Each structure stands twice: as structure tokens, then as C-alpha cells.
Amino acid sequence: MTDDKSARIESLRREAAECRACPLWKDATQTVFGEGPAEADIVFVGEQPGDREDRVGRPFVGPAGLMFDKALAEAGVDRKRAYVTNAVKHFKFEPRGKLRLHKRPNAGEIKVCKRWLMSEIDILKPRLIVALGATAAQSLAERPVAIGKNRGETLTLAEGLRVFVTVHPSSLLRLPDEADKQAAYARFVEDLRAVGELAAEAARAGASGALARARGGLL
């Protein structure tokens, strides 16, 4: 089953590399698809690739990704067992001299790109999805989601998907005050610790259900 999932993800990755459904591909270096094990219990969804991700072709490898890795480690969540991706697969930016400054995707771009995200989720069938920031939450819920109000909550969407809402790690990098940044980081770690606990609970529930079905088949 895992090999089949892996093959389907790779096929989807190749298809997404040729996507021209919105104008973002014209200025981006490449499509940045998700990555992680096919048996991942958790799918983390960010906003879009940043400058470094666009150049390298992998998600969450820039400054925010490094902070994300550190927070995951402190929370006891193994990134090697998680799948990471973005709501939008091309880097949207505004040129500023030699710099390329992040520009938030609009609702149309989020909507167009959702087919790739939902295809990833449909193949992986994770126990839990984590929306990192407003763009990810909006893509999954198909409506604006207030992060401040819903942070730390698990939303159940129409498709039956369980989505835990928290901030994007890039928001921590933008805080100018070091004390505020440390406090925000500590809270982010707590959110990720809750994510790990929720995924573990779902795994235990799934194992119990499978055992009950197996026992039922023996009666």
C-alpha cells in the first residue's frame, strides 16, 4: 500500500510540475511540491514556497523552515514521519532590487491550486492535517479562517478532514521584539506538542478499531 501511495504521489508531483493553471508559474523558478513519507500520520500545510524553496525546489527549507524543524524537535514530533506541503505551489513575490519579497497569494490563486493539495491529502489519508497560517486554513476550509480565534482548535471539515489550526512559523520571524519572539515561539512549540498528542490519540483509536473489526470477523 505504501509503495502504491508513493508512486501516486510521484505521478502527481510530475503532473504538478507542468501546471499552468494560474500566472504564478511564469515568474517562479519551479513548482515546489510536498515531500515526506507516504505513511505520514500528519500533513503540515503552509502558505507557499519562499525564495529559497523556489530556488531549491523543496518546501520548508528557508529560515521559517529551519525554525519549524527546531520547534518540531522540541515538541517531540518527528519531521521525518510527517509530510510537509503548501497551499500554493509556486512562489509569488514582488521584485525589490535584487531581492524577491514574499507576496501573499490571492483567493483565486489559492482556489486554483487547491486541486494539488487535496490530491496529496486524498492519497496520503493522514490522521491529522495542520494548517500553518491563514492561507493554509482558507484553502482547506474554502473560507477565511481567523487564526487568532481558531488557533489550537481542531476543525472538522465537510470531507471529514480534521484540521488543527496554528500560526505559520514565518510570523515568528517578523516579530521585532526578542522577548515577544521567544514567547511566540514557546507557544508555537506547545501547539506542535498538541498536534503530536492528537495524532497519537488518532493512531491508538485506529488501532483499537482495527482490532475490534478483526475480532468481530473471528466471531
Side-chain angles (χ1 to χ4, degrees):
M1 179 65 74
T2 297
D3 289 343
D4 178 58
K5 283 186 176 183
S6 297
R8 291 172 65 195
I9 285 289
E10 285 307 310
S11 177
L12 194 66
R13 184 192 309 276
R14 290 191 295 271
E15 186 181 351
E18 303 301 322
C19 183
R20 303 293 185 265
C22 82
L24 294 185
W25 70 272
K26 295 179 181 179
D27 296 320
T29 304
Q30 58 195 312
T31 302
V32 180
F33 206 69
E35 67 176 26
E39 69 275 12
D41 284 336
I42 308 171
V43 170
F44 289 95
V45 183
E47 180 185 85
Q48 65 163 349
D51 181 80
R52 178 163 176 74
E53 287 85 357
D54 173 69
R55 298 181 192 279
V56 175
R58 296 179 57 207
F60 286 83
V61 294
L66 295 177
M67 178 172 282
F68 178 60
D69 283 351
K70 180 184 176 185
L72 283 176
E74 289 190 27
V77 179
D78 186 357
R79 174 166 171 173
K80 293 180 181 179
R81 294 190 56 78
Y83 188 91
V84 292
T85 191
N86 284 299
V88 174
K89 310 301 189 192
H90 284 114
F91 180 34
K92 183 177 182 179
F93 61 91
E94 179 180 329
R96 189 74 58 84
K98 293 183 178 181
L99 299 177
R100 302 190 301 171
L101 301 182
H102 164 277
K103 191 173 182 180
R104 186 172 178 174
N106 62 40
E109 292 155 350
I110 295 170
K111 183 176 181 180
V112 166
C113 213
K114 186 177 179 179
R115 61 165 291 202
W116 302 114
L117 174 60
M118 296 311 295
S119 293
E120 289 174 289
I121 290 170
D122 183 60
I123 293 170
L124 296 168
K125 292 180 169 50
R127 300 185 188 279
L128 183 65
I129 302 165
V130 181
L132 299 168
T135 296
Q138 179 178 338
S139 175
L140 291 161
E142 295 187 322
R143 59 178 173 81
V145 175
I147 300 302
K149 180 180 178 181
N150 293 280
R151 182 176 184 178
E153 299 294 326
T154 302
L155 310 179
T156 301
L157 306 185
E159 301 87 346
L161 301 175
R162 299 174 68 236
V163 179
F164 183 93
V165 178
T166 186
V167 298
H168 194 284
S170 64
S171 66
L172 311 183
L173 296 174
R174 295 193 292 269
L175 294 173
D177 183 80
E178 188 59 31
D180 289 344
K181 185 178 293 187
Q182 291 299 322
Y185 175 77
R187 186 179 178 192
F188 184 55
V189 171
E190 286 303 311
D191 283 351
L192 295 181
R193 189 170 287 120
V195 164
E197 292 170 355
L198 285 168
E201 289 173 7
R204 288 193 293 270
S208 297
L211 180 60
R213 288 191 295 273
R215 286 175 174 170
L218 294 175
L219 295 179

